[in-house]
Amino acid sequence: MATRRVLRMGNPLLRQKAEPIPLEEITSDDIKNLLKDMNETMNVNKGIGIAAPQIGVSKQVAIVGIPKGSDRYRYAKEFDLVTVINPVVTVLDETKQGYWEGCLSVPKLRGFVERPRKVRVEYYDIEAKKHSVEVEDFIATVFQHEIDHLHGIIYVDRVPPTKLSYVDEYIKYIQPLEKKEQEDKENS
Ligand code: ZN
C-alpha cells in the first residue's frame, strides 16, 4: 500500500470525465491496488470520501465512509465504508439541502452547497456485484460530492460566490451561527 499525492484544484485531470471500468477488470489486481491506495490516502488525510481522479487515476471508482467519531464534519453520522464502481445517481427527492463541504483537492476551504436530499446510487462493488442503495441527508451529499469528481465536477463549481470560506474563518464566524440556527430549530 502507498499513500498517494492528492491532486489539487487546477490539475486538469480533476476536470476529466473518468472512464468506466469494464466489468471483467473490476476484480483485477490493478483495481485492488488502486483501492488500497485510495483507502490509505483517504485515511491519512482524514477524509470521508475520495475518488480515483483525486489520486491521478481517471477511472470511475470512489470510496465513501464516515468512521465513528469523525470530527472533520460535525453533521457526520457513522457510515460503513463502501466502494462504488461505475456509479449512477438518480434523484429521489429534489428538495434541496445545504451543507458546508470541503475537499481534499481544495485544501483549507469550505463552501456551502445545496443538493437534492435523497438519491439512489447504483454501482458495482469490488467483486463486480451490482448494488442499489438509497441515501438521504448528509451522507447523500457525500455520495454526490464524490461522484461529481468522476464527472470532472468540483464542489466549488456549485458554491454561490459569497458562500466560500477558509476553514479557520468558517469555524470562527459561520459555525457558531449555524449551531445557533440549529438550536433555534430544535427549540421551536
Ligand atoms: Zn472532493
Side-chain angles (χ1 to χ4, degrees):
M1 283 207 293
T3 304
R4 305 263 286 259
R5 194 172 59 88
V6 177
L7 305 191
R8 299 200 304 176
M9 185 171 59
N11 188 309
L13 196 140
L14 290 172
R15 293 306 192 175
Q16 284 175 22
K17 202 166 159 51
E19 292 291 328
I21 299 177
L23 284 193
E24 64 276 13
E25 284 177 26
I26 289 178
T27 53
S28 68
D29 286 346
D30 275 2
I31 299 300
K32 278 197 189 85
N33 290 331
L34 168 65
L35 282 164
K36 279 181 192 162
D37 287 358
M38 285 171 66
N39 265 294
E40 187 168 316
T41 306
M42 181 177 84
N43 291 336
V44 162
N45 291 287
K46 296 190 164 49
I48 55 174
I50 194 167
Q54 291 183 277
I55 60 165
V57 178
S58 193
K59 290 185 191 293
Q60 289 192 18
V61 192
I63 298 173
V64 169
I66 303 176
K68 206 173 178 172
S70 170
D71 56 5
R72 193 171 143 87
Y73 292 92
R74 65 188 192 85
Y75 327 99
K77 279 190 212 128
E78 192 180 349
F79 188 87
D80 286 341
L81 197 73
V82 57
T83 298
V84 298
I85 297 169
N86 303 345
V88 176
V89 174
T90 308
V91 175
L92 297 179
D93 182 354
E94 293 270 6
T95 310
K96 296 283 190 236
Q97 60 178 5
Y99 288 107
W100 285 84
E101 299 185 18
C103 181
L104 299 180
S105 295
V106 191
K108 296 190 168 68
L109 292 181
R110 285 289 168 93
F112 187 77
V113 183
E114 290 189 311
R115 300 179 186 268
R117 65 162 292 277
K118 186 173 184 185
V119 295
R120 177 187 299 127
V121 184
E122 289 165 275
Y123 64 93
Y124 292 91
D125 70 11
I126 51 173
E127 286 161 352
K129 287 195 194 117
K130 196 165 184 184
H131 294 267
S132 174
V133 290
E134 292 181 9
V135 284
E136 57 192 323
D137 304 323
F138 181 65
I139 193 68
T141 277
V142 181
F143 271 93
Q144 290 174 79
H145 174 121
E146 295 312 330
I147 293 168
D148 266 358
H149 277 301
L150 307 181
H151 298 276
I153 298 165
I154 301 175
Y155 84 94
V156 292
D157 304 350
R158 302 188 184 280
V159 177
T162 59
K163 296 277 195 175
L164 196 59
S165 168
Y166 285 97
V167 172
D168 290 350
E169 279 69 16
Y170 166 76
I171 290 168
K172 188 171 174 187
Y173 299 111
I174 299 168
Q175 207 173 53
L177 294 177
E178 284 208 305
K179 273 189 184 140
K180 191 171 177 311
E181 266 173 32
Q182 191 60 37
E183 279 163 15
D184 289 347
K185 251 188 236 166
E186 279 160 12
N187 292 335
S188 63

